[in-house]
Amino acid sequence: MDHLVFFSLPPMSINVKSPTAPARGFQDTDAAHSDVRFDYAGPIAGKYKGTVFTAARVELVMSLSDPAVRESARHISDAQNNPERTFPSFTAKTIPGAKEPLHRLVNREEQKKNREAAIKTCEDIWGDYSKSGLECDEYPFASTKEGANKGDRRYSARLIDGDDNGKGGNMIGEVYSVNRLLNGDAFYVKITP
């Protein structure tokens, strides 16, 4: 077994007493609750043991004005806001990540298949780019269940600067680690100016 996961639903009780209220006061034994996951997931989650609030919204935020990931951010923005202008191109295309979550994929073979499908699209559109210094960037990311090999063509592949692509990938990995995202955990991608 590669990891253990336990879920808990800690309740919050409220008891209010006042000198002017009836003797028993006010009591609400299920005033609020929060879903919590305790896991021993190993290096997949960045640290071996940890706890997360599973209802918290996890976002990868990239900025169009960040020179380190400007091309990655532009690609994601175009894919989210103008998907019909991305490759593969077809009418009424939608790409998840902004309003519809992405889900982490940890299986390396499946990630490789996602990457290969995106690279095939880049080669079909731009030909041999191996000596250009550009890399095939895919969105949704190869490390998501919504990646290029899913079969629904709801992805975008684009050539971008190799350094930019690498730094964008590092940001994704950091979001996975900091937020302890395990296989299938949801997250969103937000592009800021």
Side-chain angles (χ1 to χ4, degrees), residues 7 9-10 43 48 50 81 108 118 122 133 135 146 159 180 188:
F7 292 92
L9 187 61
Y48 284 86
N81 299 307
R108 298 238 186 246
C122 283
E135 293 181 0
E146 294 77 15
L159 295 180
R180 298 193 64 76
Y188 296 83

Side-chain angles (χ1 to χ4, degrees), residues 106-124:
V106 298
N107 182 299
R108 298 238 186 246
E109 282 302 311
E110 294 301 315
Q111 289 177 7
K112 182 180 176 187
K113 289 176 186 176
N114 280 338
R115 203 165 285 110
E116 289 169 348
I119 288 170
K120 181 174 180 344
T121 299
C122 283
E123 290 172 343
D124 288 348

Side-chain angles (χ1 to χ4, degrees), residues 159-178:
L159 295 180
I160 67 169
D161 176 74
D163 288 339
D164 187 304
N165 193 29
K167 289 175 182 163
N170 289 341
M171 288 179 75
I172 298 161
E174 187 175 320
V175 166
Y176 291 160
S177 294
V178 168

Side-chain angles (χ1 to χ4, degrees), residues 18 33 61 90 92 103 107 121 128 149 156 170 176 188 191-193:
S18 166
H33 64 272
V61 180
F90 58 93
H103 299 86
N107 182 299
T121 299
D128 181 11
N149 194 51
S156 174
N170 289 341
Y176 291 160
Y188 296 83
I191 303 301
T192 61

